[in-house]
Amino acid sequence: MRAEDLLLAWDPLGYGVGSYGPEFDDIVVALTQLDTEGELDAHIRHVLTDAFGECPPESETHAMARQLLASSQSCQL
């Protein structure tokens, strides 16, 4: 599954699928710049907290970071 599709199906704060457009765009850009799960996880947490004042549990954001990195790496030539 593509990284963008993973994010589009994710509703980390319960606001409804599709409620995170600019935030997820930021995460997709970061995905091209960050290399580790920890860095991406920290970025995801920062983006969500900055935009919404809250963040899902770290285990959930870390799992998403892992999935996103795996998805993006499987698409590289």
Side-chain angles (χ1 to χ4, degrees):
M1 182 178 278
R2 293 178 350 156
E4 293 86 355
D5 294 333
L6 286 170
L7 284 170
L8 288 174
W10 192 37
D11 183 11
L13 300 172
Y15 295 148
V17 173
S19 298
Y20 311 92
E23 294 76 26
F24 286 175
D25 289 344
D26 188 353
I27 293 167
V28 169
V29 170
L31 186 57
T32 65
Q33 301 167 343
L34 304 174
D35 297 323
T36 69
E37 289 176 20
E39 290 174 322
L40 186 57
D41 176 39
H43 185 75
I44 291 169
R45 298 181 65 70
H46 172 75
V47 166
L48 292 175
T49 301
D50 193 44
F52 299 101
E54 61 181 321
C55 192
E58 189 171 354
S59 59
E60 186 177 334
T61 58
H62 193 82
M64 179 53 72
R66 182 180 314 115
Q67 290 177 317
L68 291 170
L69 284 171
S71 175
S72 70
Q73 290 170 354
S74 70
C75 294
Q76 293 178 357
L77 298 175

